[in-house]
Amino acid sequence: TSSEMQGPGRCMELSGDAATVVVANTTFSHHEVLGGGGGAVVWARDGAVTLQLRHVSMTSNMVLLGKGGAVLVEAGDEGEHAAHVELNDVTFNKNQAQGGGGGAVAIERGTLTAAHVTCVDNEGFGGGGCLHVSDGVATVSDSVIKANVDTLGGGVFALRSQLGVWRTRIMSNVAFNGANVHSRTSSVTLVDCSVEDAEGYESTCAKVYDESTFVANRTTFRGCVSTRDGGALGLYTQSTARLSECSITECESTAAS
């Protein structure tokens, strides 16, 4: 059975310990939150919440003053009491977070497992046009992150977090720094991924910043152009990178020598 939920207000607000919410075969569209908080579709705001989304579409949802255009989880503490989100066969399209990062999804102090996710044409204003993760752990596999926009990390932004990405295309995202991937004080691992076709001011394929570690295995970096430096990859402030069996083609900096 399929269902459709349409705005204008927030669809779900979750709170409390040990709450589990499962949403399947549902389309959410045109939910708008103009006041405080984020997550126009789902805002999990305290407690240890488990949220499972399966075969779900979220389109044209918007928050004005918060993070997470469609989904915001900022519930619980770190460790065993953290919030947890599972995404399986979920589409995010044209969602906006005008007051923070995570145009589609923002995770704070929680964990995320995402598989077969399509995240296209979303927009944030504080890190992560598609996905923002802070003080958390995120795993993404077999997904597409494309044509999202933010000031930092047009595709994905990680802050004080662990991010692992497998068999995923991260492409054509737009940001001032780290157009496809932006890592700050985080550990990022890419395996069998394609990171491609981005243009920006600095480190367009990936910016690795502020004591971050970056590992890429069997990953392709292609067609990333920077107007300053680090067309493919930029390392800053005691950060480290290790690449194994990777390909880097058609990446360049157009800055004057």
Side-chain angles (χ1 to χ4, degrees), residues 37-58:
V41 176
V42 183
W43 181 24
R45 62 181 181 83
D46 59 28
V49 174
T50 297
L51 174 64
Q52 299 176 352
L53 303 178
R54 305 167 184 166
H55 316 298
V56 167
S57 176
M58 299 189 181

Side-chain angles (χ1 to χ4, degrees), residues 199-252:
E199 295 186 9
Y201 176 69
E202 188 175 75
S203 311
T204 51
C205 271
K207 181 169 184 176
V208 184
Y209 180 70
D210 202 6
E211 300 182 353
S212 289
T213 59
F214 183 85
V215 176
N217 296 328
R218 300 184 302 277
T219 290
T220 298
F221 300 89
R222 185 184 67 82
C224 294
V225 179
S226 166
T227 57
R228 183 182 178 188
D229 51 28
L233 177 65
L235 299 177
Y236 303 89
T237 323
Q238 298 180 311
S239 295
T240 60
R242 178 172 61 84
L243 278 63
S244 176
E245 300 181 64
C246 293
S247 171
I248 302 176
T249 58
E250 301 177 41
C251 295
E252 63 175 325

Side-chain angles (χ1 to χ4, degrees), residues 104-190:
V105 180
I107 306 293
E108 295 190 326
R109 298 179 307 279
T111 61
L112 168 71
T113 302
H116 306 287
V117 169
T118 301
C119 195
V120 179
D121 288 332
N122 303 282
E123 186 171 2
F125 291 87
C130 170
L131 172 64
H132 174 107
V133 184
S134 60
D135 299 299
V137 179
T139 301
V140 180
S141 63
D142 303 295
S143 297
V144 175
I145 299 172
K146 179 180 178 181
N148 303 283
V149 179
D150 204 305
T151 52
L152 304 171
V156 178
F157 178 86
L159 173 64
R160 298 184 303 271
S161 296
Q162 298 178 39
L163 171 65
V165 185
W166 280 262
R167 300 176 302 277
T168 292
R169 297 188 71 187
I170 308 173
M171 60 184 297
S172 305
N173 298 288
V174 178
F176 185 72
N177 286 330
N180 280 327
V181 178
H182 193 293
S183 170
R184 182 170 185 180
T185 322
S186 296
S187 173
V188 175
T189 300
L190 307 180

